[in-house]
Amino acid sequence: LYTDVVMAGGMNGFELASRATILNPHLKVLYTSGYAEEMVRKEGVDMSKIAWIQKPVDIDELEDKITGLLDSFGLEATPAGDE
């Protein structure tokens, strides 16, 4: 799951991930936000315990983060165009 921390409609990315992991406890979550990490920490989030990428997102960093999550789950990422 790739989710922004701040979302419209009253639910935030942490709530979304919490609900989604009830349905799939093995789900890997990558959070993103344009807000500074300090603001996210103020919400009580331990940044060392989550996969995080700061906006604006660098595509190479995003690829590395997703590959790392898939590797930790025992899956392999297939680069675009290599299907």
Side-chain angles (χ1 to χ4, degrees), residues 3-77:
T3 183
D4 201 319
V5 171
V6 178
M7 301 185 332
M11 182 185 297
N12 66 41
F14 299 114
E15 293 167 330
L16 174 65
S18 178
R19 292 182 185 189
T21 54
I22 290 170
L23 298 173
N24 181 354
H26 301 290
L27 184 68
K28 299 295 183 181
V29 182
L30 175 58
Y31 297 95
T32 191
S33 181
Y35 293 100
E37 288 182 28
E38 293 78 32
M39 291 184 70
V40 176
R41 282 191 191 100
K42 285 181 183 178
E43 297 295 318
V45 176
D46 182 351
M47 298 298 289
S48 69
K49 304 250 188 243
I50 66 170
W52 168 267
I53 190 167
Q54 180 75 37
K55 286 182 181 178
V57 175
D58 175 80
I59 194 68
D60 293 325
E61 184 181 1
L62 179 60
E63 179 183 7
D64 290 345
K65 292 280 188 174
I66 291 172
T67 299
L69 284 172
L70 292 174
D71 288 347
S72 73
F73 199 55
L75 300 173
E76 292 184 21

